[in-house]
Amino acid sequence: MTEKVAYSICGMCTVRCPIKVSVKDGQIAFIEGNPHFPSMKGAVCPRGAAGKALINDDERPQTPLIRTGERGEGKWRKATWDEALDYVADGLNRISEEYGARAIALTDRGGPFRDFHRAFLRGIGTPNYCNHDSSCARNVQHSALSLTNMGRKAVEYDLKNARHVVLQLRNIFEAINVQEVNDLTDALEAGCKLTVIDIRANVSATKASRYMQIRPGTDYAFNLAVINRLLKRKLYNAEFVRHYIDNLGALEEFVRPYTPEWAEKETGIPATDLMAFVDELAAAQPSVIWHPGWMTARYKDSFYVSRTIYIINALLGSYGAKGGLPFVSKPGDVGRKGLKSFMDIYPKPKEKRADGVGWKYPQFEDGPGLAHLLYKAMETSDPYPVKGYIAYRHDPLMAFPDPDHMKKIWDKLDLLVSVTFSWSDTAWYSDVVLPLSPYLERESIIATKNSLKPYFFVRQRSVEPRYDSRADWEIISGLAKRMGLPELVFDSVEELWNFQLEGTGMAIEDFRDSGIVSIADEPIYKKFGEFKFKTESGKMEIISKKLESCNLPSLKPYESPMSPPEGQFRLTFGRCAVHTQGHTVNNPMLFEQMPENTLWINRKAAEKLKISDGEYVEVGQNGHRETIKTKLTDAIHPEAVFVIHGFGHKLPVESRAFGKGLADNRFMLRGMDVWDPAGGAVACQEHFVSVSKIG
Ligand SMILES: Nc1nc2c(c(=O)[nH]1)N[C@H]1C(S)=C(S)[C@@H](COP(=O)(O)OP(=O)(O)OC[C@H]3O[C@@H](n4cnc5c(=O)[nH]c(N)nc54)[C@H](O)[C@@H]3O)O[C@H]1N2
Ligand SMILES: Nc1nc2c(c(=O)[nH]1)N[C@H]1C(S)=C(S)[C@@H](COP(=O)(O)OP(=O)(O)OC[C@H]3O[C@@H](n4cnc5c(=O)[nH]c(N)nc54)[C@H](O)[C@@H]3O)O[C@H]1N2
Ligand code: SF4
Ligand SMILES: [Mo]
């Protein structure tokens, strides 16, 4: 019997927890949390435990495939890697010759392993890289930038040491990051208070010391009233405010009309509850974390909701504080050299981005762009044609509103390529499918974790690929070889890792025993007075020059969201602990735990429609209808219905997931056109549906 241990990185969701994989006779024996990370407590979440089921599943692309029928018809021919890579490289070269390299675009899932494929895009000369974030956390990122000129990841959530945590539009106990769950659990046991503000009682609410059910889409009203109260009663941290907040006067003036009593009418939350909550919060400062949200591509004012949250954290002095939002350190901050970057091999392309970010829309960060505006450019050829598209670990047909509209846009493409480890609607609609080895079967480039205690980490290959799939670096190297980019051609992963480690004083052997190399001995808390925000004044700037110069308000007056007409509901969505987005529904192990989603609907509202619990009902919008089983509950606001995102698969190659549950994004007609010019993200919860008995 042969036995080995591989320190690796989970790939079942974007959190990428550090794991330890035990392998016996070339098979996965056990997956656990990497013991070098105390906060993992040796655990992985249910999805992390299902990695073995993923690699053993034969219902995933097993060889490169080239389309032979119409797009989406499902007729393929198996190809060798040489054939498939030649096909893609020839297609991209042809597009480049006819329209210029800028006509090639790639979108991905974001995250720490992007340097290599982004370098490929620079190498071929296109500026058109986007990540998926305009369907996820872009509003949070832009709100952080608009106040501090620092991104959302410049601070950490020091949950373990917190004394009061507020979750609003954030469900830590189901939308899981293992270390966060463990840290918050420890804090709760040590007496930390947990407040949950949500439209429904989720699992986090069941652990909360205070749960407030809010009318969907009125969070901004609630938060403005919290600021009003903090300022009026002078409950804020005066020293922090004096030192670190610019233009408090404008804020004070702005929130004056937004009293707790006013907010009650909007949100349904009693003013007395809001005031009691604010008192509790103030008592716990500065060890307070009001989470700014994660999946905030929801409302047209979600950007402003996140802004108010960051402002409240600052008023309570939680920036930099232990148990609050301490600043992360980068390698440079601890006197270490960072990894050598592949992107630095090439200059940044001078072309304007097709999505308009950085020139038409100077208010947005240009690195990851805005994918929905890239699709708009594909549709209109404005500012120029985009004809070649690689969906790289991205399933926009599931992740963006209105997939039928998206398909029409993609029909204008000359080449559509999908790089993926599972089937997805996007892969099924592609011209070429390049099968990526699942995370347990591949290595990834070395990456940096900026944190209180920064480190470098690497994903090591646990087992050999079962099918004819490849690692990211092999796929990109293969394309680079065919497209005249010899700098990105590597014959072995060690060669590629050595490139990254050059000048750092480290060798790949240093990662072997734990998967990481720490570059600080202890967590580093930057102290009050020592740190500065990256704005001109060094303070959090309530009035953003950038926003104002784009004619966008820094302090936007509240607008009440429409209530749905009689018999209709606002369609809302979120996560559950056992699935990741749309790509685990067909995983044999996870499917068994939850084969379909249900429609949460308020009991009284359902009874008015004569709908009972567990009954299959029809959900409709503009003639589109799907059926789903109901879950009647008093624990959801009557204006909303709620589903777990990611269901409603219709691909014959996914026998388990096929036809189970409902796909929320098909009820967001023309939804890519509904987005916020200040925050940048699409607003997926600005849609109503009807619910009725079948027949
Ligand atoms: N198990 C699991 N974990 C995951 C993921 C996964 O797919 N599965 N995905 C990861 C990713 S990519 C992300 S972005 C994060 C997402 O993490 P979160 O954003 O925390 O997760 P969600 O469940 O999408 O949404 C959080 C809550 O918002 C609530 N909500 C909806 N509308 C409103 C409203 O108008 N007001 C208020 N106050 N609340 C509202 C929902 O009821 C839900 O409980 O999770 C990550 N972790
Ligand atoms: N209607 C609606 N739309 C949403 C959401 C919603 O709740 N409702 N959620 C939004 C959010 S928060 C996000 S983050 C996006 C997510 O949507 P996407 O960014 O598309 O991400 P995934 O569905 O996780 O993965 C996309 C594809 O990449 C493949 N894949 C290949 N390799 C990997 C890998 O190493 N890791 C992972 N994770 N996948 C890989 C997966 O099999 C899958 O087919 O969708 C957003 N869109
Ligand atoms: S949260 Fe779960 S699925 Fe996501 S990376 Fe961690 S263990 Fe894997
Ligand atoms: Mo996300």
Side-chain angles (χ1 to χ4, degrees):
M1 193 195 309
T2 61
E3 288 190 38
K4 76 162 194 180
V5 162
Y7 288 97
S8 194
I9 305 295
C10 182
M12 291 298 285
C13 86
T14 25
V15 169
R16 299 181 182 87
C17 293
I19 53 173
K20 178 181 167 189
V21 185
S22 305
V23 180
K24 281 194 184 132
D25 291 335
Q27 302 288 324
I28 305 288
F30 194 54
I31 304 172
E32 61 198 300
N34 183 338
H36 297 90
F37 289 77
S39 284
M40 288 298 295
K41 298 195 173 171
V44 287
C45 81
R47 298 161 298 145
K52 193 174 166 182
L54 165 69
I55 54 176
N56 290 340
D57 185 8
D58 61 4
E59 292 194 347
R60 60 180 168 101
Q62 301 181 6
T63 66
L65 295 167
I66 297 174
R67 176 170 67 83
T68 54
E70 294 299 307
R71 277 199 182 130
E73 210 184 354
K75 292 192 179 147
W76 305 98
R77 73 178 167 87
K78 288 185 181 167
T80 63
W81 274 98
D82 274 339
E83 261 180 289
L85 292 171
D86 283 347
Y87 188 98
V88 174
D90 288 350
L92 294 178
N93 281 332
R94 252 197 318 275
I95 289 166
S96 195
E97 274 157 33
E98 193 173 344
Y99 301 97
R102 66 186 187 177
I104 298 168
L106 179 149
T107 61
D108 71 10
R109 186 83 180 70
F113 300 124
R114 292 176 293 166
D115 186 35
F116 197 53
H117 60 262
R118 290 190 67 184
F120 168 75
L121 294 175
R122 274 199 180 179
I124 60 178
T126 176
N128 290 317
Y129 162 76
C130 289
N131 71 13
H132 73 159
D133 212 33
S134 77
S135 69
C136 179
R138 247 335 57 190
N139 284 327
V140 187
Q141 173 71 359
H142 282 138
S143 73
L145 286 169
S146 74
L147 286 158
T148 60
N149 205 18
M150 297 160 86
R152 71 185 175 108
K153 292 187 179 158
V155 292
E156 200 159 288
Y157 309 119
D158 192 10
L159 291 159
K160 205 178 179 68
N161 298 305
R163 293 182 55 219
H164 196 144
V165 173
V166 184
L167 300 179
Q168 178 182 35
L169 289 145
R170 174 79 184 94
N171 181 8
I172 284 192
F173 288 101
E174 286 174 280
I176 294 177
N177 167 326
V178 173
Q179 299 190 72
E180 285 187 4
V181 171
N182 288 334
D183 285 353
L184 182 55
T185 306
D186 285 353
L188 294 181
E189 276 167 17
C192 171
K193 285 198 154 59
L194 175 65
T195 294
V196 172
I197 305 161
D198 208 290
I199 55 159
R200 64 184 181 116
N202 55 22
V203 170
S204 301
T206 64
K207 299 178 192 296
S209 33
R210 185 184 284 281
Y211 163 61
M212 292 180 272
Q213 189 183 75
I214 192 163
R215 176 160 88 90
T218 64
D219 294 87
Y220 189 42
F222 183 86
N223 295 6
L224 289 173
V226 168
I227 299 177
N228 171 302
R229 182 77 183 167
L230 281 170
L231 294 180
K232 195 161 154 205
R233 298 297 293 259
K234 299 212 172 346
L235 293 169
Y236 54 87
N237 182 324
E239 200 193 355
F240 188 94
V241 167
R242 206 175 315 117
H243 209 91
Y244 282 118
I245 299 189
D246 184 52
N247 233 328
L248 189 75
L251 181 68
E252 229 162 357
E253 182 69 31
F254 174 71
V255 297
R256 197 156 292 144
Y258 300 123
T259 61
E261 293 74 19
W262 165 83
E264 177 174 338
K265 294 195 196 86
E266 282 300 317
T267 63
I269 298 172
T272 46
D273 288 4
L274 184 149
M275 291 186 285
F277 160 65
V278 171
D279 286 346
E280 273 172 24
L281 203 58
Q285 63 178 296
S287 299
V288 168
I289 301 170
W290 189 321
H291 198 293
W294 193 349
M295 197 308 174
T296 48
R298 293 188 195 262
Y299 297 104
K300 281 190 279 186
D301 68 0
S302 292
F303 165 80
Y304 289 97
V305 174
S306 289
R307 265 177 68 90
T308 50
I309 296 176
Y310 280 122
I311 291 172
I312 294 167
N313 280 306
L315 289 171
L316 297 169
S318 76
Y319 273 94
K322 197 165 182 174
L325 305 179
F327 295 92
V328 302
S329 291
K330 296 182 175 168
D333 300 330
V334 293
R336 296 292 290 257
K337 202 162 178 290
L339 297 170
K340 191 165 140 194
S341 158
F342 296 107
M343 279 174 80
D344 287 348
I345 300 175
Y346 307 104
K348 192 173 171 187
K350 288 202 182 69
E351 293 281 0
K352 290 176 174 170
R353 299 177 56 95
D355 59 11
V357 170
W359 57 280
K360 191 170 170 193
Y361 305 111
Q363 65 268 42
F364 301 131
E365 184 186 31
D366 72 351
L370 294 173
H372 62 288
L373 297 182
L374 171 70
Y375 302 133
K376 194 83 202 163
M378 280 178 194
E379 182 175 23
T380 58
S381 291
D382 177 19
Y384 50 76
V386 176
K387 292 290 181 182
Y389 173 39
I390 305 175
Y392 193 94
R393 296 162 60 182
H394 192 194
D395 182 9
L397 289 180
M398 177 68 80
F400 275 93
D402 202 345
D404 288 340
H405 179 205
M406 186 76 90
K407 284 182 187 165
K408 287 207 183 86
I409 294 175
W410 289 355
D411 286 343
K412 303 197 167 180
L413 292 169
D414 292 348
L415 181 68
L416 173 56
V417 181
S418 192
V419 182
T420 175
F421 66 50
S422 65
W423 277 112
S424 67
D425 291 348
T426 300
W428 195 247
Y429 206 71
S430 298
D431 303 330
V432 185
V433 177
L434 300 178
L436 180 68
S437 301
Y439 65 100
L440 293 165
E441 299 182 340
R442 71 173 192 263
E443 314 87 352
S444 299
I445 61 174
I446 305 171
T448 310
K449 178 74 180 173
N450 299 328
S451 71
L452 278 174
K453 200 170 162 238
Y455 57 91
F456 297 118
F457 63 103
V458 70
R459 172 183 280 140
Q460 298 176 4
R461 184 183 293 218
S462 304
V463 292
E464 290 309 307
R466 179 176 177 147
Y467 300 122
D468 193 13
S469 59
R470 287 196 178 168
D472 318 54
W473 69 269
E474 293 173 299
I475 296 173
I476 296 298
S477 249
L479 288 175
K481 193 168 165 183
R482 290 165 172 79
M483 297 184 70
L485 302 172
E487 310 80 7
L488 297 181
V489 180
F490 291 91
D491 293 326
S492 73
V493 75
E494 285 77 16
E495 218 179 277
L496 175 137
W497 285 335
N498 286 338
F499 173 97
Q500 293 186 280
L501 291 174
E502 209 182 295
T504 60
M506 280 178 271
I508 194 63
E509 286 70 41
D510 300 336
F511 290 82
R512 205 124 285 160
D513 292 338
S514 63
I516 58 162
V517 175
S518 256
I519 51 175
D521 298 330
E522 290 299 325
I524 302 159
Y525 288 89
K526 294 177 188 166
K527 293 199 183 65
F528 181 85
E530 283 174 13
F531 60 81
K532 270 193 177 153
F533 291 110
K534 295 223 165 98
T535 51
E536 257 173 50
S537 61
K539 298 182 177 188
M540 172 180 274
E541 294 181 354
I542 300 288
I543 303 299
S544 153
K545 287 196 193 85
K546 199 177 211 175
L547 284 178
E548 304 284 327
S549 71
C550 297
N551 280 325
L552 295 161
S554 304
L555 297 166
K556 188 170 110 76
Y558 175 76
E559 285 173 47
S560 186
M562 250 196 351
S563 289
E566 184 73 25
Q568 293 193 28
F569 300 85
R570 186 180 289 274
L571 180 60
T572 70
F573 51 77
R575 322 269 153 259
C576 66
V578 300
H579 282 297
T580 300
Q581 310 291 351
H583 74 79
T584 57
V585 180
N586 202 52
N587 179 300
M589 204 167 142
L590 298 171
F591 174 80
E592 210 174 287
Q593 293 180 50
M594 182 177 169
E596 64 186 323
N597 56 358
T598 54
L599 186 79
W600 287 50
I601 180 167
N602 179 277
R603 188 180 304 279
K604 286 203 190 80
E607 282 165 3
K608 263 200 217 162
L609 299 168
K610 308 218 169 353
I611 285 169
S612 48
D613 189 37
E615 170 182 359
Y616 281 87
V617 291
E618 217 165 54
V619 174
Q621 184 194 65
N622 285 296
H624 177 69
R625 306 199 163 275
E626 291 189 33
T627 55
I628 184 169
K629 197 188 205 172
T630 57
K631 171 187 159 105
L632 264 58
T633 166
D634 299 321
I636 184 168
H637 195 280
E639 285 191 4
V641 286
F642 173 89
V643 294
I644 299 297
H645 170 65
F647 287 81
H649 291 225
K650 295 270 162 60
L651 301 182
V653 274
E654 295 185 311
S655 67
R656 292 169 290 265
F658 186 86
K660 299 282 191 321
L662 165 151
D664 54 352
N665 67 325
R666 290 199 209 107
F667 294 89
M668 298 171 186
L669 199 69
R670 285 280 159 173
M672 277 196 290
D673 295 335
V674 187
W675 61 284
D676 170 19
V682 287
C684 296
Q685 281 190 186
E686 301 281 9
H687 303 272
F688 296 148
V689 292
S690 63
V691 179
S692 52
K693 286 184 90 71
I694 294 177

